[in-house]
Amino acid sequence: MAVGVLALQGQRAHSRLGVVGVEVRKPEQLDSVASLIIPGGESTTMAKLAEYHNLFPALREFVKLGKPVWGTCAGLIFLANKAYGKKEGGQELVGGLDCTVQRNFFGSRLQSFETELLVPDLASKEGGPETFRGVFIRAPAVLEVGPDVEVLADYPIPANKLPDQYRGPEPDEESSTATVKVIVAVRHKNLLGTAFHPELTADIRWHSYFLKMASELDEGSSNAVTAISATHPGFFQRPKIDLPIYLP
C-alpha cells in the first residue's frame, strides 16, 4: 500500500516500515496513495506552497473520503479546523480534525525539548513501554477538542510555566504549584495528529498505529496493512547514546 508524504518543503518519503513511500507535491499525485502523512515544517510556507500548487481542494477531498491522514507538528496545524497564532494575513488550513491548535505554543526553536510522554492507548495497541520519547521542535499544542476526538497523549507542565497568554491575571500560591495537561496527540476518525516528531526517534509505534488505521477504516480490503510485530527491525530500539537532538 502506497503512503504519500506531502513534500512541499523538500521532505523525502521513505520506506522505514517496508511500505511504498510517494512524495506528493501536486493534486493528481494523491490519486496514487491510500494514506497521507503531512510532516513538520513551517506551516505558513507550506500553506503558501499548497495554495500555489492548488492542493487544498484535493487535500480536503482526500480527508472527506475517509482516507487516513497523519499530521505531525506543522501537519497537525494543517489538519486542524482552527489555529491561533497565525502570521499576519493568516494561512489556509485543510481542516477536518475537530480541534483548535496554537502555533508555537512551547516557544521558539530555542525552547525545543524532548520528554517522555505517557501513551497508554498506543501501548495497549502496539505493545512496548507505556511511554514514548516526544521530540518537540517549535511545537504547537491542542487547546480544545470536539466531542468525538480521542486524546492520545498530553504533556503535564506547571501552570506557572505556561505561555503568558494562558496564565491567570494574578497567579496565587496554589495556582503556581498546579499542573496543567497540554494535549499533544489526538485522533478523530481517519485523522491523526501529533505535536511532536515520532520520525526523529527509533520507536516506530506511531507509524505502525497509523498504518493500521487504514485496515480499521476499511476492514476486509485487499489493501489492508499487515500488523507490524515487535520483531520488526528497529522496533522500540533507541540509539545507544540518547542525547537531545536539539540543544539551545
Side-chain angles (χ1 to χ4, degrees):
M1 182 184 70
V3 178
V5 176
L6 191 64
L8 294 173
Q9 288 187 296
Q11 295 92 341
R12 297 295 303 274
H14 59 83
S15 55
R16 187 175 183 182
L17 299 184
V19 298
V20 177
V22 177
E23 295 171 18
V24 174
R25 295 183 177 88
K26 298 180 180 180
E28 58 269 23
Q29 292 172 317
L30 287 170
D31 296 334
S32 64
V33 300
S35 57
L36 180 69
I37 297 173
I38 304 179
E42 210 295 312
S43 61
T44 304
T45 301
M46 287 169 61
K48 290 179 179 178
L49 291 169
E51 186 175 4
Y52 176 80
H53 291 290
N54 195 32
L55 266 164
F56 278 108
L59 288 169
R60 292 187 182 115
E61 183 63 20
F62 195 91
V63 168
K64 288 179 182 177
L65 288 173
K67 295 185 179 183
V69 183
W70 176 17
T72 67
C73 197
L76 166 63
I77 298 169
F78 241 47
L79 288 178
N81 281 345
K82 188 174 183 180
Y84 291 128
K86 293 184 284 188
K87 292 183 179 179
E88 188 175 349
Q91 75 179 65
E92 199 167 352
L93 302 174
V94 174
L97 184 56
D98 189 11
C99 68
T100 300
V101 302
Q102 170 69 51
R103 294 176 78 249
N104 301 339
F105 179 88
F106 297 101
S108 69
R109 190 175 294 275
L110 290 178
Q111 279 75 55
S112 299
F113 64 96
E114 297 183 23
T115 188
E116 295 293 333
L117 301 169
L118 283 173
V119 288
D121 293 321
L122 182 70
S124 68
K125 288 193 174 184
E126 300 298 328
E130 289 281 314
T131 60
F132 185 91
R133 187 73 167 176
V135 180
F136 292 81
I137 304 171
R138 205 173 63 172
V142 179
L143 304 181
E144 298 175 352
V145 296
D148 298 324
V149 176
E150 301 174 65
V151 175
L152 300 178
D154 53 46
Y155 174 51
I157 60 176
N160 60 359
K161 297 294 184 181
L162 284 170
D164 292 341
Q165 64 266 41
Y166 302 109
R167 298 186 198 178
E170 292 292 337
D172 53 28
E173 184 176 344
E174 182 179 349
S175 65
S176 66
T177 58
T179 299
V180 177
K181 290 185 177 180
V182 179
I183 299 171
V184 293
V186 292
R187 179 180 176 181
H188 183 206
K189 299 178 182 177
N190 59 311
L191 304 180
L192 176 66
T194 55
F196 48 93
H197 290 266
E199 76 280 5
L200 295 182
T201 75
D203 187 337
I204 62 171
R205 286 180 294 165
W206 283 106
H207 296 78
S208 175
Y209 179 95
F210 174 64
L211 291 178
K212 290 175 185 175
M213 283 172 55
S215 53
E216 290 175 13
L217 294 165
D218 189 18
E219 282 191 37
S221 167
S222 60
N223 286 332
V225 178
T226 303
I228 298 170
S229 73
T231 59
H232 187 283
F235 201 71
F236 305 143
Q237 292 179 7
R238 291 281 174 80
K240 291 183 179 179
I241 301 176
D242 191 16
L243 293 174
I245 294 174
Y246 290 90
L247 293 173

